[in-house]
Amino acid sequence: MKKIFPALFIFFGTFLFSQNVSFETILNDKISIRAIELYDNKVWYTGTDSKFGFVDLKNPKNQKQIKLAEKKLQFRTLAQNKDAFYAINIESPAHFFRIDKKDHSVLDIYTDTLKTAFYDALIFVNDEHGVTFSDPAKDLNLKLSFIMPKLNSVLDFNILTKREGFNSIKLNQGEAAFAASNTNIAHHGTNIWIATGGKSSRIIKIDYTTLKSNIYKTPFVQGESSQGIYSIDFYNEKFGIAVGGDYTKQEANINNIATTNDGGKTWQIQASGKNAGYMTCVKIKPNSKGKEMIAVGDQHISYSSDFGKTWKKISDEKGFYVCKWIDKSTVVFAGKDKISLIKLKF
């Protein structure tokens, strides 16, 4: 009998939260979406079958979709500066595409022909520099690249570090990153953070103005190729959140959430054994001082209102991989065959 009450509490807690969440699906298509951007009151996306497009948030019937390539490429990255969107397909050869914001013209600005090329995430730190990284080659050096929009070119980090006298970033055997939601990379100020997983799950911190880097261990679940950090977000240069787990054991919830208060040097496990399991994306609510955040996994959507210390499952909706806050009460989610808006009433 004693075990019934905690179970009932969890059930009714989830039930009450679910009553304060409403869904509106604004795109249905045969596509897997793992990267989205917001611009001009539209949600822009890349996905499978070389698909790129947008849905108008105010008028969802206003939609457009184009193919970035004749081949059926798979995209898990998308980023933007003031003039264009950029996307990279995950298979080798990896093509770097530029999509003009005005006329949606597509330009292939660079091709990585290495057989090991597999680009996990892409962001723009400012209008002049985009940053992306690929799984390492046999030498285990992290393949970090900078997109230079003005020149429509790409600079290799390893070449830069050798030229400037810095050491390349060496990963451990069996350590890589997950192309799950384009969010295992984050930036704030001049800092870039990259999260890894697999045999080791660590945080790589780089100052992109000096190219100096540090690698920090984490207490995250790790050791197997499917384990580790899948997504990170930073509210400022000090406070950040990391989520993940094991995609082969979606219900596993031990050591799969952690926070930092010192810019990634040290991490504290949160809600171990007391969360809904594997998560692919986490986003801190803007203007919440880091207090509120939402996370999504293949099997659930969860919410925290205390800096990631405790979590409530607010939906059992399945098939979402990535999310972004639109405003203080609206979040856009994308994933398998759909994009949806979720209104939070709490």
Side-chain angles (χ1 to χ4, degrees):
M1 179 65 75
K2 290 181 180 179
K3 294 182 180 179
I4 294 177
F5 290 105
L8 288 174
F9 179 80
I10 293 171
F11 171 79
F12 284 114
T14 303
F15 175 78
L16 290 172
F17 264 95
S18 65
Q19 301 307 297
N20 291 311
V21 176
S22 62
F23 284 81
E24 178 190 2
T25 297
I26 59 175
L27 174 74
N28 286 113
D29 187 27
K30 189 175 181 181
I31 186 175
S32 178
I33 301 171
R34 292 181 180 270
I36 56 176
E37 286 288 322
L38 300 175
Y39 169 72
D40 191 31
N41 291 312
K42 301 176 180 70
V43 55
W44 302 75
Y45 62 89
T46 53
T48 47
D49 292 342
S50 295
K51 292 178 178 180
F52 167 85
F54 73 77
V55 183
D56 194 315
L57 292 169
K58 292 184 177 180
N59 177 22
K61 292 183 179 180
N62 179 24
Q63 302 181 10
K64 182 177 181 178
Q65 188 178 91
I66 63 174
K67 294 289 186 74
L68 296 182
E70 292 184 5
K71 294 181 179 180
K72 291 186 176 182
L73 302 179
Q74 184 177 166
F75 290 87
R76 297 190 181 185
T77 59
L78 184 64
Q80 64 174 312
N81 70 350
K82 61 181 178 64
D83 298 317
F85 295 97
Y86 292 80
I88 311 166
N89 64 286
I90 58 173
E91 301 92 350
S92 179
H95 298 272
F96 289 52
F97 290 97
R98 179 191 187 275
I99 307 99
D100 190 272
K101 284 185 173 179
K102 291 183 179 180
D103 60 13
H104 304 155
S105 59
V106 180
L107 183 64
D108 188 342
I109 64 170
Y110 177 75
T111 302
D112 186 341
T113 58
L114 284 179
K115 292 183 179 180
T116 55
F118 193 104
Y119 284 83
D120 299 289
L122 167 65
I123 59 169
F124 267 81
V125 295
N126 52 44
D127 285 329
E128 309 301 326
H129 297 92
V131 182
T132 184
F133 66 97
S134 167
D135 285 353
K138 292 182 179 179
D139 61 7
L140 294 180
N141 284 330
L142 179 71
K143 186 173 178 57
L144 190 71
S145 301
F146 293 85
I147 296 176
M148 314 292 285
K150 281 188 176 181
L151 303 175
N152 275 337
S153 66
V154 176
L155 293 176
D156 184 77
F157 175 80
N158 291 328
I159 294 174
L160 287 173
T161 53
K162 289 176 183 177
R163 187 180 69 191
E164 300 295 336
F166 297 114
N167 294 324
S168 297
I169 300 169
K170 184 83 70 174
L171 299 184
N172 293 326
Q173 190 72 42
E175 180 182 14
F178 299 109
S181 61
N182 198 49
T183 57
N184 55 3
I185 188 170
H187 82 95
H188 198 283
T190 64
N191 294 314
I192 302 168
W193 295 270
I194 295 172
T196 68
K199 295 294 183 180
S200 298
S201 188
R202 301 187 294 173
I203 293 291
I204 302 165
K205 185 178 181 180
I206 304 165
D207 186 320
Y208 65 81
T209 62
T210 65
L211 301 185
K212 291 182 178 180
S213 62
N214 290 285
I215 304 181
Y216 303 115
K217 294 181 179 180
T218 76
F220 229 81
V221 59
Q222 55 196 281
E224 301 293 335
S225 61
S226 55
Q227 296 176 337
I229 300 172
Y230 280 72
S231 178
I232 55 175
D233 198 18
F234 276 77
Y235 186 77
N236 51 34
E237 293 186 1
K238 295 294 184 182
F239 179 74
I241 176 81
V243 303
D246 187 334
Y247 75 83
T248 67
K249 300 174 183 177
Q250 304 246 336
E251 74 287 348
N253 62 359
I254 303 299
N255 296 348
N256 66 319
I257 301 172
T259 57
T260 180
N261 289 291
D262 56 13
K265 293 180 181 180
T266 61
W267 292 81
Q268 296 76 45
I269 292 294
Q270 307 291 358
S272 185
K274 299 178 180 179
N275 65 83
Y278 167 73
M279 301 175 182
T280 63
C281 182
V282 63
K283 285 295 178 182
I284 298 171
K285 182 177 179 179
N287 302 315
S288 70
K289 298 183 179 180
K291 185 176 181 180
E292 296 180 69
M293 57 191 71
I294 202 160
V296 62
D298 295 8
Q299 306 294 317
H300 67 95
I301 298 170
S302 294
Y303 169 83
S304 175
S305 60
D306 58 1
F307 301 97
K309 294 177 181 178
T310 62
W311 290 80
K312 291 286 187 181
K313 182 169 68 172
I314 61 174
S315 173
D316 287 309
E317 191 76 15
K318 296 175 175 56
F320 288 125
Y321 310 132
V322 60
C323 61
K324 278 185 182 292
W325 290 89
I326 296 175
D327 56 42
K328 63 181 181 179
S329 60
T330 311
V331 186
V332 59
F333 289 82
K336 181 176 172 50
D337 302 333
K338 60 186 174 181
I339 297 177
S340 298
L341 299 179
I342 297 182
K343 290 284 187 180
L344 307 178
K345 303 173 185 177
F346 50 83

